[in-house]
Amino acid sequence: MPAFKLTPRLITVGGAQLGPIQRADTRAAVVERLIVLLREGHRKGCEIVVFPELALTTFFPRYSMTDQAQVDAWFERAMPNEATAPLFARARRHGMAMNFGYAELTPQGHHFNTAILTDKEARIVGTYRKVHLPGHAEFDPERTHQHLEKRYFEPGDLGFPVWRMLGGVFGMCICNDRRWPETYRVMGLQG
């Protein structure tokens, strides 16, 4: 049992469907699209807007790349950063929390499929790194479509933590993580 009392309340969540991002789209152009969706969520009374996995780039694991510099160009080295600062500023201005995913390159050189959770002041309160990576690690000429998440990302190293905000308890998972019961069990054990 949690050591605190949860009070039932309604939270308006906006699921922001970004649509396809092309390989040539710039971070600035994508962030502008995220801001449009954030404004729409604000107009509709959302307290938190949830953006998709790898929201700042095309789903690059479908491309086979061998040049590490080319791969690393898809990754963010800090969050927020110069490209995403306008999104954080807009969220703070609207007093909205956010969840969004991106490719993270840590200072230690680790590559993660990451999601962050911010509060209504656009401060990062939680970081999650995808644990269950689908797909394959090597280019497969027999496949018509590649899914190289295991090539470009490491399994997450943070487990399934939860955070208390907006009067509730929040956990995160990314895509394939939803298929595994331990995702919910571990978060549930934390309240």
Side-chain angles (χ1 to χ4, degrees), residues 105-163:
L105 177 56
T106 72
Q108 299 77 25
H110 296 286
H111 295 78
F112 295 109
N113 187 338
T114 298
I116 58 168
L117 184 65
T118 71
D119 64 14
K120 288 185 172 190
E121 288 79 40
R123 293 179 300 229
I124 296 173
V125 297
T127 301
Y128 172 74
R129 294 173 175 151
K130 188 174 183 178
V131 171
H132 301 101
L133 300 175
H136 47 285
E138 298 301 325
F139 176 79
D140 184 350
E142 299 296 317
R143 295 176 190 253
T144 59
H145 298 83
Q146 302 298 312
H147 192 132
L148 296 163
E149 274 192 76
K150 289 181 179 177
R151 179 181 194 143
Y152 301 128
F153 297 109
E154 300 168 50
D157 61 352
L158 301 174
F160 295 98
V162 298
W163 299 271

Side-chain angles (χ1 to χ4, degrees), residues 60-129:
F60 64 88
R62 68 185 149 185
Y63 302 111
S64 179
M65 297 172 278
T66 56
D67 176 8
Q68 193 59 45
Q70 183 184 17
V71 172
D72 287 351
W74 299 108
F75 287 78
E76 309 304 315
R77 286 155 180 80
M79 192 56 63
N81 56 39
E82 185 178 341
T84 60
L87 176 67
F88 280 73
R90 180 61 61 136
R92 187 170 25 268
R93 184 169 137 202
H94 289 321
M96 295 174 69
M98 294 185 296
N99 167 272
F100 82 96
Y102 62 96
E104 175 192 19
L105 177 56
T106 72
Q108 299 77 25
H110 296 286
H111 295 78
F112 295 109
N113 187 338
T114 298
I116 58 168
L117 184 65
T118 71
D119 64 14
K120 288 185 172 190
E121 288 79 40
R123 293 179 300 229
I124 296 173
V125 297
T127 301
Y128 172 74
R129 294 173 175 151

